[in-house]
Amino acid sequence: MLLNAFDVDPGAAERTVELQWGELFELGIQSDLLVISAWEGVYDPVPGTLVQRLAQACNLDVGTLPRELDLTGSRVGAWISPPLQQLAGPLRWPAGTSTRFSRLAVVESPRLAGTGPWPVFSQLFSLLALLPLQGIHCPVVATPLLSAGNQGI
């Protein structure tokens, strides 16, 4: 369900931001990049997490995905997969959904008490700023509210 949409003019090209609510595969989102969050280095498919949903719905094991760009050793603390259609494993989409994404990125939440949600959003925007410099173009990005699941931030 679309809750709100607004245009942003960053000085170059106009951009649109949409806020939607619902289950990922019921929203019909078409994106170049799906960004999710996880604890640093922990990609267990914990019930109720998007990592688990991707494993069940798409046969994606987030922890074993190859990394085209790995910035986990830096302050960015994130990585991005190569295009998913290049993967050897059988990627499948749930029946009856038009939701599709070409790549997956993971922003790793630090396990620091009292940090609040802001470090993970800083990491996300740092990653998005660096992608074009690496020749990775993802003009349409989808992301749930990061660190809101079992990370509880």
Side-chain angles (χ1 to χ4, degrees):
M1 168 190 326
L2 179 64
L3 297 178
N4 200 354
F6 53 93
D7 293 330
V8 179
D9 183 358
E14 188 174 279
R15 310 290 171 107
T16 300
V17 176
E18 292 183 2
L19 178 62
Q20 297 194 28
W21 176 83
E23 200 277 332
L24 175 65
F25 293 105
E26 293 175 3
L27 294 173
I29 294 172
Q30 304 283 314
S31 69
D32 300 298
L33 179 65
L34 175 66
V35 182
I36 66 171
S37 61
W39 288 118
E40 289 176 298
V42 179
Y43 308 111
D44 300 328
V46 175
T49 63
L50 196 48
V51 171
Q52 180 202 36
R53 184 72 176 113
L54 292 172
Q56 290 175 333
C58 301
N59 198 37
L60 278 179
D61 181 351
V62 174
T64 63
L65 286 175
R67 300 175 182 192
E68 182 169 330
L69 179 63
D70 189 346
L71 301 169
T72 55
S74 72
R75 292 183 59 108
V76 176
W79 58 270
I80 185 169
S81 74
L84 297 174
Q85 71 269 16
Q86 294 179 4
L87 302 180
L91 173 66
R92 67 173 185 261
W93 300 105
T97 183
S98 60
T99 294
R100 298 287 186 273
F101 47 93
S102 301
R103 294 173 183 261
L104 184 73
V106 177
V107 175
E108 294 188 337
S109 300
R111 289 188 182 252
L112 302 174
T115 59
W118 305 120
V120 74
F121 288 103
S122 176
Q123 290 169 264
L124 168 62
F125 288 110
S126 295
L127 175 66
L128 294 178
L130 291 171
L131 292 180
L133 300 173
Q134 299 296 316
I136 300 172
H137 301 285
C138 297
V140 180
V141 178
T143 184
L145 185 56
L146 298 173
S147 299
N150 69 334
Q151 295 153 323
I153 299 175

